[in-house]
Amino acid sequence: MEEIASELKAMLNVDTAFTIPVLGGIEIAESVVITWVVMAVMLLFAICMTRNLKVENPGKRQLILETCVTGLQNMVKGIIGEEGKQYVEYLVTVIVFIGISNIIGLFGMKPPTKDLNVTAGLAVMSIILIEYAGIHAKGTKKWLHSFAEPVAIIAPLNVLEIFIRPLSLCMRLFGNVLGAFVVMELLKMIMPAILPIPFSLYFDVFDGLIQAYVFVFLTGLFIKEAVE
Amino acid sequence: MLRIDINLVFTIINLLVLYFLMKKFLFKPVNNIIAKREEAIKKQFDDADEAKKQADETKKQYEASLADAKEESAKIVQEAKDKARVEYDRIVKSADEEVTKRLQKAEETIAEEKAKSLRAMEAEIEGLVVAAASKVVGEKVSVENSQKLYDDFLAEMGEK
């Protein structure tokens, strides 16, 4: 039992992949390195798929690409509305990034979203984008005024929301992925073959994609609220 | 287990880099091509509309010219008919005139002939009368006498 606990703890720990020997050593976490892998995969996919696109008679490859890209864009646009069109591309990037990050456990890598740094980074980006969208759409004065709506007395709560929203986004994603990771590691310890398959389908694939969708859905919703 | 450090900044940098890479290499080309296709489709529709409009116009023109041609042909036929009628009338009239003229001439000829034969007969009868009278009156009758007798006779006959 002790052994399992210590092993699990070792698995849960976010290792330092390497240290850059400047400024007293900058520790680069494993999750960041895996993020690079995900980025490389996405970039390669994008470059390979967008080679010689045609206006007329698109090939199968191009049709699949167009369906995927426009489908995701339309999905996000449906959440965010017409006013937030310029944020669609970022949100699509994020949903694909989180989706790949969450299911990368299938390929034997630790999901980067298991690291609080990554989910916190995503959440910080989200809240910056939300508030930026609010300021961009309404102007600074109106944006500040929107904290005192519908009545001035709830202004502290609205200000608090600036911190609560990213915190909930960050922790939801982190908790889900970490929990799924723990469950999967335990299952793999009990029985490495067959048994993890259905659980992996649920925890890695289903839950991973759902969490990616939820993250983007909530961010989109907040942006929509901010620009209205 | 939970650590929040400089890696958060790296994550944000990573995200921004990923966003710009995706924007440049995925969204821009794909959305570009879709926009281009939509434009091409719109252009094709416009072209089709234009072509249809032109075809309609051409059809209208064609129909108008067809109607014109029909009218023209009807006019030509009418003219030809009129001309033919005039010609016919003229020919018939001239034929009539000819006939009348000939008839007149024939009548004249006949009358002339008649007069001529009448004169011949008169001469004959005169001879006969003179012969008969001389036979009746005898040899003694002179030419003057016989002439007088003949005239009397003629007068008598004419009165009758």
CSV table of all heavy atoms in Angstrom, one decimal, chain B residues 1-37:
chain,number,residue,atom,x,y,z
B,1,MET,N,3.5,18.9,-5.1
B,1,MET,CA,2.6,18.4,-6.2
B,1,MET,C,1.9,19.5,-7.0
B,1,MET,O,2.0,19.5,-8.2
B,1,MET,CB,1.4,17.6,-5.5
B,1,MET,CG,0.7,16.7,-6.5
B,1,MET,SD,-0.3,15.5,-5.7
B,1,MET,CE,-1.9,16.3,-5.8
B,2,LEU,N,1.4,20.5,-6.3
B,2,LEU,CA,0.9,21.7,-7.0
B,2,LEU,C,2.0,22.7,-7.0
B,2,LEU,O,2.6,23.1,-6.0
B,2,LEU,CB,-0.3,22.3,-6.2
B,2,LEU,CG,-1.5,21.4,-6.1
B,2,LEU,CD1,-2.6,22.2,-5.3
B,2,LEU,CD2,-2.0,21.0,-7.4
B,3,ARG,N,2.4,23.1,-8.2
B,3,ARG,CA,3.4,24.2,-8.3
B,3,ARG,C,3.0,25.2,-9.3
B,3,ARG,O,2.5,24.9,-10.4
B,3,ARG,CB,4.8,23.6,-8.6
B,3,ARG,CG,4.8,22.8,-9.9
B,3,ARG,CD,6.2,22.2,-10.1
B,3,ARG,NE,6.9,22.9,-11.2
B,3,ARG,CZ,8.0,22.4,-11.7
B,3,ARG,NH1,8.5,21.2,-11.3
B,3,ARG,NH2,8.6,23.0,-12.7
B,4,ILE,N,3.1,26.4,-8.9
B,4,ILE,CA,2.8,27.5,-9.8
B,4,ILE,C,4.1,28.4,-9.8
B,4,ILE,O,4.5,28.9,-8.8
B,4,ILE,CB,1.6,28.3,-9.4
B,4,ILE,CG1,0.3,27.5,-9.6
B,4,ILE,CG2,1.5,29.6,-10.2
B,4,ILE,CD1,-1.0,28.3,-9.6
B,5,ASP,N,4.7,28.4,-11.0
B,5,ASP,CA,6.0,29.1,-11.1
B,5,ASP,C,6.1,29.8,-12.4
B,5,ASP,O,5.1,30.0,-13.1
B,5,ASP,CB,7.1,28.2,-10.7
B,5,ASP,CG,7.1,26.9,-11.5
B,5,ASP,OD1,6.4,26.9,-12.6
B,5,ASP,OD2,7.6,25.9,-11.1
B,6,ILE,N,7.3,29.9,-12.9
B,6,ILE,CA,7.6,30.6,-14.1
B,6,ILE,C,7.0,29.9,-15.3
B,6,ILE,O,6.7,30.4,-16.4
B,6,ILE,CB,9.2,30.7,-14.3
B,6,ILE,CG1,9.5,31.6,-15.5
B,6,ILE,CG2,9.8,29.3,-14.5
B,6,ILE,CD1,9.3,33.1,-15.1
B,7,ASN,N,6.7,28.6,-15.1
B,7,ASN,CA,6.1,27.8,-16.2
B,7,ASN,C,4.7,28.3,-16.7
B,7,ASN,O,4.3,28.1,-17.8
B,7,ASN,CB,6.0,26.3,-15.8
B,7,ASN,CG,7.3,25.7,-15.8
B,7,ASN,OD1,8.0,25.6,-16.9
B,7,ASN,ND2,7.7,25.1,-14.7
B,8,LEU,N,4.0,29.0,-15.7
B,8,LEU,CA,2.8,29.6,-16.1
B,8,LEU,C,3.0,30.7,-17.2
B,8,LEU,O,2.2,30.7,-18.2
B,8,LEU,CB,2.2,30.3,-14.9
B,8,LEU,CG,0.7,30.8,-14.9
B,8,LEU,CD1,0.1,30.7,-13.5
B,8,LEU,CD2,0.6,32.2,-15.4
B,9,VAL,N,4.1,31.4,-17.1
B,9,VAL,CA,4.4,32.4,-18.1
B,9,VAL,C,4.7,31.7,-19.4
B,9,VAL,O,4.3,32.1,-20.5
B,9,VAL,CB,5.6,33.3,-17.7
B,9,VAL,CG1,5.9,34.3,-18.7
B,9,VAL,CG2,5.3,34.0,-16.3
B,10,PHE,N,5.5,30.6,-19.3
B,10,PHE,CA,5.8,29.8,-20.5
B,10,PHE,C,4.6,29.3,-21.2
B,10,PHE,O,4.4,29.3,-22.4
B,10,PHE,CB,6.7,28.7,-20.2
B,10,PHE,CG,8.1,29.1,-19.8
B,10,PHE,CD1,8.8,28.3,-18.8
B,10,PHE,CD2,8.7,30.2,-20.3
B,10,PHE,CE1,10.1,28.7,-18.4
B,10,PHE,CE2,10.0,30.6,-19.9
B,10,PHE,CZ,10.7,29.8,-19.0
B,11,THR,N,3.6,28.9,-20.4
B,11,THR,CA,2.4,28.4,-21.0
B,11,THR,C,1.6,29.5,-21.7
B,11,THR,O,1.2,29.3,-22.9
B,11,THR,CB,1.4,27.9,-19.8
B,11,THR,OG1,2.1,26.8,-19.2
B,11,THR,CG2,0.1,27.4,-20.4
B,12,ILE,N,1.6,30.7,-21.1
B,12,ILE,CA,0.9,31.8,-21.8
B,12,ILE,C,1.7,32.1,-23.1
B,12,ILE,O,1.0,32.3,-24.2
B,12,ILE,CB,0.9,33.0,-20.9
B,12,ILE,CG1,-0.1,32.7,-19.7
B,12,ILE,CG2,0.4,34.2,-21.6
B,12,ILE,CD1,-0.2,33.8,-18.7
B,13,ILE,N,3.0,32.1,-23.0
B,13,ILE,CA,3.8,32.4,-24.3
B,13,ILE,C,3.5,31.3,-25.3
B,13,ILE,O,3.2,31.6,-26.5
B,13,ILE,CB,5.3,32.5,-23.9
B,13,ILE,CG1,5.6,33.7,-23.1
B,13,ILE,CG2,6.1,32.5,-25.2
B,13,ILE,CD1,7.0,33.7,-22.5
B,14,ASN,N,3.5,30.1,-24.8
B,14,ASN,CA,3.2,29.0,-25.7
B,14,ASN,C,1.8,29.1,-26.4
B,14,ASN,O,1.7,29.0,-27.6
B,14,ASN,CB,3.1,27.6,-25.0
B,14,ASN,CG,4.5,27.1,-24.7
B,14,ASN,OD1,5.5,27.6,-25.3
B,14,ASN,ND2,4.6,26.1,-23.9
B,15,LEU,N,0.8,29.5,-25.6
B,15,LEU,CA,-0.5,29.7,-26.1
B,15,LEU,C,-0.6,30.8,-27.2
B,15,LEU,O,-1.2,30.6,-28.2
B,15,LEU,CB,-1.5,30.1,-25.0
B,15,LEU,CG,-2.2,28.9,-24.3
B,15,LEU,CD1,-2.9,29.4,-23.1
B,15,LEU,CD2,-3.1,28.2,-25.3
B,16,LEU,N,0.1,31.9,-26.9
B,16,LEU,CA,0.1,33.0,-27.8
B,16,LEU,C,0.8,32.6,-29.1
B,16,LEU,O,0.3,32.9,-30.2
B,16,LEU,CB,0.8,34.2,-27.2
B,16,LEU,CG,0.0,34.9,-26.1
B,16,LEU,CD1,0.8,36.0,-25.5
B,16,LEU,CD2,-1.3,35.5,-26.7
B,17,VAL,N,1.9,31.9,-29.0
B,17,VAL,CA,2.7,31.5,-30.1
B,17,VAL,C,1.8,30.5,-30.9
B,17,VAL,O,1.6,30.6,-32.2
B,17,VAL,CB,4.0,30.8,-29.7
B,17,VAL,CG1,4.6,30.1,-30.9
B,17,VAL,CG2,5.0,31.8,-29.2
B,18,LEU,N,1.1,29.6,-30.2
B,18,LEU,CA,0.3,28.6,-30.9
B,18,LEU,C,-0.9,29.3,-31.6
B,18,LEU,O,-1.2,29.0,-32.8
B,18,LEU,CB,-0.3,27.6,-29.9
B,18,LEU,CG,-1.2,26.5,-30.5
B,18,LEU,CD1,-0.4,25.6,-31.4
B,18,LEU,CD2,-1.8,25.7,-29.3
B,19,TYR,N,-1.4,30.3,-30.9
B,19,TYR,CA,-2.5,31.1,-31.6
B,19,TYR,C,-2.1,31.7,-32.8
B,19,TYR,O,-2.8,31.6,-33.9
B,19,TYR,CB,-3.1,32.1,-30.6
B,19,TYR,CG,-4.0,33.1,-31.2
B,19,TYR,CD1,-5.2,32.7,-31.9
B,19,TYR,CD2,-3.8,34.4,-31.1
B,19,TYR,CE1,-6.0,33.6,-32.4
B,19,TYR,CE2,-4.6,35.4,-31.7
B,19,TYR,CZ,-5.8,34.9,-32.3
B,19,TYR,OH,-6.6,35.8,-32.9
B,20,PHE,N,-0.9,32.4,-32.8
B,20,PHE,CA,-0.5,33.1,-34.0
B,20,PHE,C,-0.1,32.1,-35.1
B,20,PHE,O,-0.4,32.3,-36.3
B,20,PHE,CB,0.6,34.1,-33.7
B,20,PHE,CG,0.1,35.3,-33.0
B,20,PHE,CD1,0.5,35.5,-31.6
B,20,PHE,CD2,-0.8,36.1,-33.6
B,20,PHE,CE1,0.0,36.6,-31.0
B,20,PHE,CE2,-1.3,37.2,-32.9
B,20,PHE,CZ,-0.9,37.5,-31.6
B,21,LEU,N,0.5,31.0,-34.7
B,21,LEU,CA,0.9,30.0,-35.7
B,21,LEU,C,-0.4,29.4,-36.4
B,21,LEU,O,-0.5,29.3,-37.6
B,21,LEU,CB,1.7,28.8,-35.1
B,21,LEU,CG,3.1,29.2,-34.7
B,21,LEU,CD1,3.7,28.0,-34.0
B,21,LEU,CD2,3.9,29.5,-35.9
B,22,MET,N,-1.4,29.1,-35.5
B,22,MET,CA,-2.6,28.5,-36.1
B,22,MET,C,-3.3,29.5,-37.0
B,22,MET,O,-3.8,29.2,-38.0
B,22,MET,CB,-3.6,28.2,-34.9
B,22,MET,CG,-3.2,26.9,-34.2
B,22,MET,SD,-3.3,25.5,-35.3
B,22,MET,CE,-1.7,25.0,-35.4
B,23,LYS,N,-3.3,30.8,-36.5
B,23,LYS,CA,-3.9,31.8,-37.3
B,23,LYS,C,-3.3,31.9,-38.7
B,23,LYS,O,-4.0,32.0,-39.7
B,23,LYS,CB,-3.8,33.1,-36.6
B,23,LYS,CG,-4.8,34.2,-37.0
B,23,LYS,CD,-4.7,35.4,-36.2
B,23,LYS,CE,-5.6,36.5,-36.7
B,23,LYS,NZ,-5.6,37.7,-35.9
B,24,LYS,N,-2.0,31.8,-38.7
B,24,LYS,CA,-1.2,32.0,-40.0
B,24,LYS,C,-1.3,30.8,-40.8
B,24,LYS,O,-1.5,30.9,-42.0
B,24,LYS,CB,0.2,32.3,-39.7
B,24,LYS,CG,1.0,32.6,-40.9
B,24,LYS,CD,2.2,33.4,-40.6
B,24,LYS,CE,3.2,33.6,-41.8
B,24,LYS,NZ,2.6,33.4,-43.1
B,25,PHE,N,-1.2,29.6,-40.2
B,25,PHE,CA,-1.1,28.4,-41.0
B,25,PHE,C,-2.4,27.6,-41.2
B,25,PHE,O,-2.4,26.8,-42.1
B,25,PHE,CB,0.0,27.5,-40.4
B,25,PHE,CG,1.4,28.0,-40.6
B,25,PHE,CD1,2.1,28.5,-39.6
B,25,PHE,CD2,2.0,28.0,-41.9
B,25,PHE,CE1,3.3,29.0,-39.7
B,25,PHE,CE2,3.2,28.5,-42.1
B,25,PHE,CZ,3.9,29.0,-41.0
B,26,LEU,N,-3.4,27.9,-40.3
B,26,LEU,CA,-4.6,27.1,-40.5
B,26,LEU,C,-5.8,28.0,-40.8
B,26,LEU,O,-6.4,27.8,-41.9
B,26,LEU,CB,-4.9,26.3,-39.2
B,26,LEU,CG,-6.1,25.4,-39.2
B,26,LEU,CD1,-5.7,24.2,-40.1
B,26,LEU,CD2,-6.4,24.9,-37.8
B,27,PHE,N,-6.1,28.9,-40.0
B,27,PHE,CA,-7.3,29.7,-40.2
B,27,PHE,C,-7.3,30.6,-41.5
B,27,PHE,O,-8.2,30.7,-42.2
B,27,PHE,CB,-7.7,30.5,-39.0
B,27,PHE,CG,-8.0,29.7,-37.8
B,27,PHE,CD1,-7.2,29.7,-36.7
B,27,PHE,CD2,-9.1,28.8,-37.8
B,27,PHE,CE1,-7.4,28.9,-35.6
B,27,PHE,CE2,-9.3,28.0,-36.7
B,27,PHE,CZ,-8.5,28.1,-35.6
B,28,LYS,N,-6.1,31.2,-41.6
B,28,LYS,CA,-6.0,32.2,-42.7
B,28,LYS,C,-6.2,31.4,-44.1
B,28,LYS,O,-7.0,31.9,-44.9
B,28,LYS,CB,-4.7,32.9,-42.7
B,28,LYS,CG,-4.8,34.3,-43.2
B,28,LYS,CD,-3.5,35.1,-42.9
B,28,LYS,CE,-3.0,35.8,-44.1
B,28,LYS,NZ,-1.7,36.2,-44.0
B,29,PRO,N,-5.4,30.4,-44.3
B,29,PRO,CA,-5.6,29.7,-45.6
B,29,PRO,C,-7.0,29.2,-45.8
B,29,PRO,O,-7.6,29.3,-46.9
B,29,PRO,CB,-4.5,28.6,-45.7
B,29,PRO,CG,-3.9,28.6,-44.3
B,29,PRO,CD,-4.2,29.8,-43.6
B,30,VAL,N,-7.5,28.5,-44.8
B,30,VAL,CA,-8.8,27.8,-44.9
B,30,VAL,C,-9.9,28.9,-45.1
B,30,VAL,O,-10.7,28.8,-46.1
B,30,VAL,CB,-9.1,27.0,-43.7
B,30,VAL,CG1,-10.5,26.5,-43.7
B,30,VAL,CG2,-8.1,25.8,-43.6
B,31,ASN,N,-9.9,29.9,-44.3
B,31,ASN,CA,-11.0,30.9,-44.4
B,31,ASN,C,-10.8,31.7,-45.7
B,31,ASN,O,-11.8,32.0,-46.3
B,31,ASN,CB,-10.9,31.9,-43.2
B,31,ASN,CG,-11.4,31.2,-42.0
B,31,ASN,OD1,-12.1,30.2,-42.0
B,31,ASN,ND2,-11.1,31.7,-40.8
B,32,ASN,N,-9.5,31.8,-46.1
B,32,ASN,CA,-9.3,32.5,-47.4
B,32,ASN,C,-9.9,31.7,-48.6
B,32,ASN,O,-10.6,32.3,-49.4
B,32,ASN,CB,-7.8,32.5,-47.6
B,32,ASN,CG,-7.3,34.0,-47.8
B,32,ASN,OD1,-8.1,34.9,-47.8
B,32,ASN,ND2,-6.0,34.1,-47.9
B,33,ILE,N,-9.6,30.4,-48.5
B,33,ILE,CA,-10.1,29.6,-49.7
B,33,ILE,C,-11.6,29.6,-49.7
B,33,ILE,O,-12.3,29.6,-50.7
B,33,ILE,CB,-9.5,28.2,-49.6
B,33,ILE,CG1,-9.2,27.7,-51.0
B,33,ILE,CG2,-10.3,27.2,-48.9
B,33,ILE,CD1,-7.8,28.1,-51.5
B,34,ILE,N,-12.2,29.5,-48.5
B,34,ILE,CA,-13.7,29.5,-48.4
B,34,ILE,C,-14.3,30.8,-48.9
B,34,ILE,O,-15.2,30.8,-49.7
B,34,ILE,CB,-14.1,29.1,-47.0
B,34,ILE,CG1,-13.8,27.7,-46.7
B,34,ILE,CG2,-15.6,29.4,-46.8
B,34,ILE,CD1,-14.0,27.2,-45.3
B,35,ALA,N,-13.7,31.9,-48.5
B,35,ALA,CA,-14.2,33.2,-49.0
B,35,ALA,C,-14.0,33.3,-50.5
B,35,ALA,O,-14.9,33.8,-51.1
B,35,ALA,CB,-13.4,34.3,-48.3
B,36,LYS,N,-12.9,32.8,-51.0
B,36,LYS,CA,-12.7,32.9,-52.4
B,36,LYS,C,-13.7,32.0,-53.2
B,36,LYS,O,-14.3,32.4,-54.2
B,36,LYS,CB,-11.3,32.3,-52.8
B,36,LYS,CG,-10.3,33.4,-53.1
B,36,LYS,CD,-9.0,32.8,-53.6
B,36,LYS,CE,-7.8,33.6,-53.2
B,36,LYS,NZ,-6.6,32.8,-53.2
B,37,ARG,N,-14.0,30.9,-52.6
B,37,ARG,CA,-15.0,30.0,-53.2
B,37,ARG,C,-16.4,30.6,-53.2
B,37,ARG,O,-17.1,30.6,-54.2
B,37,ARG,CB,-15.0,28.6,-52.5
B,37,ARG,CG,-16.0,27.7,-53.2
B,37,ARG,CD,-16.0,26.3,-52.6
B,37,ARG,NE,-14.7,25.8,-52.5
B,37,ARG,CZ,-14.2,25.1,-51.5
B,37,ARG,NH1,-14.9,24.9,-50.5
B,37,ARG,NH2,-13.0,24.7,-51.5
